[in-house]
Amino acid sequence: MVSRWLSIYLAVAFHFTMKQDFDVNLFDFHYELLKFTDSLSLFFCINKPGVKKEEFHFFYKNGIPVPFIDKGNSQIIWPEWKADNTIYMDPFPFETELTIKIMQKKVAKDLITKHGIVKSYENTPCEILDLKLLSKE
């Protein structure tokens, strides 16, 4: 995952550094924000509602880094996902609580075995997962 982001970063940075009004700090901030939101969305998609900290997918055993809050002093978010799709976050990286919607498909392993991944994915309906993000404090 890191190499994908690095190659995107370098390509975009190279393109925009040719412009005189390019703001490197602003670009770095948005790049870090993109990486953070990507990590956060993967956390929601990889883990299940009600997951305990000890059962987090191995990507998140050390929390979710938030590098753009204070450059050089990366903070770690420890999400606490309740079974009711409420996620408490400490520290809370947003100004107010928010609700997000994630479209997902849950493809059953037995269907994949029977019909293959492509056909099983195509025939599985989408569902919307509503998640409420709150400060733990």
Side-chain angles (χ1 to χ4, degrees):
M1 185 162 54
V2 172
S3 62
R4 174 179 63 135
W5 286 121
L6 182 59
S7 61
I8 291 170
Y9 175 84
L10 292 173
V12 173
F14 177 76
H15 175 76
F16 284 107
T17 51
M18 298 298 135
K19 299 182 185 245
Q20 291 181 359
D21 60 344
F22 179 73
D23 184 339
V24 174
N25 292 327
L26 183 62
F27 178 81
D28 286 343
F29 173 80
H30 285 105
Y31 175 65
E32 295 299 325
L33 184 60
L34 177 65
K35 288 192 308 185
F36 167 68
T37 55
D38 183 51
S39 290
L40 198 57
S41 68
L42 281 174
F43 175 83
F44 301 143
C45 294
I46 292 175
N47 292 291
K48 294 180 180 179
V51 67
K52 303 274 186 261
K53 191 180 198 179
E54 310 78 55
E55 299 167 350
F56 283 176
H57 186 276
F58 72 90
F59 286 177
Y60 303 100
K61 292 288 183 192
N62 297 318
I64 300 172
V66 188
F68 61 85
I69 289 177
D70 183 13
K71 201 162 185 97
N73 293 317
S74 178
Q75 291 190 8
I76 302 294
I77 288 181
W78 290 102
E80 186 179 327
W81 193 339
K82 301 294 185 184
D84 66 351
N85 288 344
T86 300
I87 300 170
Y88 293 96
M89 303 172 96
D90 182 35
F92 192 67
F94 307 106
E95 290 181 9
T96 61
E97 67 180 49
L98 64 141
T99 300
I100 60 172
K101 294 180 180 296
I102 296 180
M103 187 182 329
Q104 66 179 12
K105 289 187 175 191
K106 291 183 181 177
V107 183
K109 289 182 182 179
D110 61 324
L111 288 178
I112 295 170
T113 303
K114 270 187 193 172
H115 307 288
I117 185 71
V118 174
K119 188 170 223 109
S120 300
Y121 179 82
E122 289 171 345
N123 292 326
T124 300
C126 286
E127 56 184 44
I128 303 293
L129 181 63
D130 290 316
L131 301 173
K132 190 169 190 173
L133 307 181
L134 302 169
S135 173
K136 193 169 183 177
E137 298 172 358

